[in-house]
Amino acid sequence: MFDYETLRVIWWALLGALLIGFAIMDGFDFGIAALLRVLGRTDDERLVLLETIEPTWEGNQVWFILGGGAAFAAWPALYAVSFSGMYLAIFLVLLAFIMRPVGFNFRGKIHDARWRSLWDWVLTLSGVVVMLISGVAFGNLFLGVPFQFDGNLRMSWHGSFFELLHPFALVAGLVSLTMLLAHGASWAAYKADHVIADRAVRVARWSTLAYVVCYVLAGIWLAYGVKGYAIIGPVVTGGVSNPLYKEVAHGSSWFASYMQYPYFWAAPVLAFLGAIGVQLSIARKGLGSFIFSSLMVAGTILSAGFALFPFLLPSSIDPRSSLTVWDASSSRGTLALMLGATVVFLPIIIIYTSWVFRVLRGRVTLEHVRQSGHTY
């Protein structure tokens, strides 16, 4: 059986894996939604785009549910602080999630161009909101968020929604937006009719270039304009989950973990290689460009997670209250029990998802949509 320290690291890695799974599997859905009116010039073309994601989008949301469940059960303090303090931001994300199936279901209820245009815009906004706010949330992790604990571990929040819109956080939001637009365009190039795929190729190229610019800008800003956090004094990796038992200094570099663990540099390298791969392979309109965009997504999230390690949620007003891998987890028994369940069920989810995508392989063509008579 794993010791407490090892279990905490495993669940930190699993939380990252679930976030990556969500960003890859649901990210192209939201990318398609955001690009619905850009790639689809006619109603039939927009129906093609919707049909590339409609059969699988609900299944892809399993990764979002798993991520939330893992945060709730494995990192209860992280769940409590983030969901309480960032309530409005999370509400907007959940509202966007809710409006997506509503858009799918209501779009074809009335055969009127204005009605369909309204729901097309709803789907577009749902995609943009989720991608942008998710990136802004990540950006705020590096800036620190305004919470603190008292001696009885009661949390208080001292910020507002608009304070989360710091310029650096907005750049992080643009990283997320451009990355997932490229990811969605890569999916459209692979799955949609060739008329639409040709447009998706151009969008993927420009989105990838914009992503690289934003990613580099965010990295430079993080290195020279954002102060990092560091635990000072002895680090108790297997102790009780009480963040107030440590001392934290604010003013170091967020890249200190990269100096301590040089193999962390593989993450940004993976992100850049993924972006280069998209540029080189997108013209073929095959599965390769989608795989490369997935690697770009994975590398981006890993590079952020590695820079933050061991912090999960830094505090901007009381650094000692910052939540880390070593002091924000559930008990050793809970982590071990959940790990056993994960070992059993996660492979089943992956195998089933792979089977579904294999069954649904092939392009969705304009001819198919016209013959099928779908109205969503």
Side-chain angles (χ1 to χ4, degrees):
M1 182 61 67
F2 298 112
D3 59 28
Y4 203 3
E5 176 186 355
T6 303
L7 283 170
R8 282 169 161 166
V9 174
I10 289 173
W11 273 103
W12 170 75
L14 281 174
L15 181 61
L18 293 174
L19 287 175
I20 291 171
F22 163 63
I24 291 176
M25 300 305 298
D26 227 13
F28 73 82
D29 290 347
F30 284 109
I32 290 290
L35 293 170
L36 188 60
R37 297 187 64 88
V38 175
L39 298 178
R41 305 289 174 79
T42 66
D43 190 61
D44 284 342
E45 290 179 356
R46 288 192 277 273
L47 284 174
V48 167
L49 288 166
L50 292 177
E51 188 155 334
T52 65
I53 60 174
E54 196 275 339
T56 58
W57 70 268
E58 286 182 296
N60 291 340
Q61 285 191 162
V62 167
W63 295 94
F64 178 73
I65 297 170
L66 288 174
F72 174 78
W75 308 101
L78 172 65
Y79 183 92
V81 173
S82 58
F83 275 67
S84 299
M86 300 183 186
Y87 184 83
L88 181 55
I90 293 174
F91 171 79
L92 290 175
V93 170
L94 293 178
L95 180 63
F97 267 93
I98 293 169
M99 294 309 296
R100 182 170 57 165
V102 173
F104 283 137
N105 293 326
F106 277 73
R107 186 181 184 277
K109 296 298 183 182
I110 299 176
H111 296 283
D112 178 78
R114 290 174 297 179
W115 174 263
R116 292 196 171 192
S117 178
L118 169 65
W119 290 107
D120 287 345
W121 279 112
V122 169
L123 289 169
T124 298
L125 288 174
S126 72
V128 171
V129 166
V130 172
M131 295 186 293
L132 187 62
I133 291 183
S134 297
V136 169
F138 255 99
N140 274 283
L141 295 183
F142 292 103
L143 296 168
V145 290
F147 75 95
Q148 68 181 73
F149 293 106
D150 65 13
N152 294 316
L153 290 183
R154 292 176 297 191
M155 190 274 293
S156 58
W157 186 273
H158 302 274
S160 67
F161 170 76
F162 293 103
E163 290 177 6
L164 299 176
L165 304 179
H166 185 278
F168 173 78
L170 292 176
V171 171
L174 291 177
V175 172
S176 173
L177 180 64
T178 53
M179 174 182 72
L180 294 179
L181 286 177
H183 192 47
S186 296
W187 179 255
Y190 168 59
K191 286 288 291 183
D193 188 276
H194 284 285
V195 173
I196 303 169
D198 289 338
R199 297 181 198 133
V201 169
R202 295 192 292 272
V203 171
R205 282 177 170 161
W206 283 107
S207 298
T208 304
L209 286 175
Y211 156 78
V212 170
V213 171
C214 292
Y215 184 67
V216 171
L217 175 60
I220 294 173
W221 197 334
L222 189 63
Y224 298 103
V226 179
K227 295 180 180 179
Y229 291 70
I231 301 175
I232 56 177
V235 179
V236 181
T237 58
V240 298
S241 290
N242 188 330
L244 300 182
Y245 284 177
K246 66 179 182 303
E247 294 295 330
V248 175
H250 184 204
S252 62
S253 170
W254 276 119
F255 287 93
S257 60
Y258 282 81
M259 302 299 107
Q260 185 176 1
Y261 308 103
Y263 50 86
F264 279 5
W265 288 104
V269 170
L270 181 64
F272 282 117
L273 289 178
I276 293 170
V278 171
Q279 292 287 350
L280 296 178
S281 64
I282 190 66
R284 301 187 186 93
K285 294 180 286 189
L287 182 60
S289 60
F290 181 73
I291 292 175
F292 278 118
S293 67
S294 299
L295 294 177
M296 180 175 68
V297 171
T300 303
I301 295 176
L302 285 173
S303 62
F306 289 163
L308 283 166
F309 185 81
F311 288 90
L312 297 172
L313 190 65
S315 170
S316 60
I317 59 176
D318 180 23
R320 192 166 65 112
S321 294
S322 299
L323 302 178
T324 74
V325 172
W326 315 126
D327 56 31
S329 73
S330 294
S331 68
R332 180 176 178 271
T334 300
L335 296 182
L337 180 63
M338 289 173 54
L339 181 60
T342 303
V343 169
V344 173
F345 290 106
L346 188 58
I348 295 175
I349 294 171
I350 294 173
I351 292 170
Y352 176 74
T353 301
S354 302
W355 176 78
V356 168
F357 277 90
R358 176 173 173 78
V359 170
L360 296 173
R361 66 187 182 278
R363 252 177 222 285
V364 180
T365 63
L366 285 166
E367 181 183 3
H368 165 75
V369 166
R370 290 162 182 160
Q371 290 177 352
S372 65
H374 288 172
T375 57
Y376 54 78

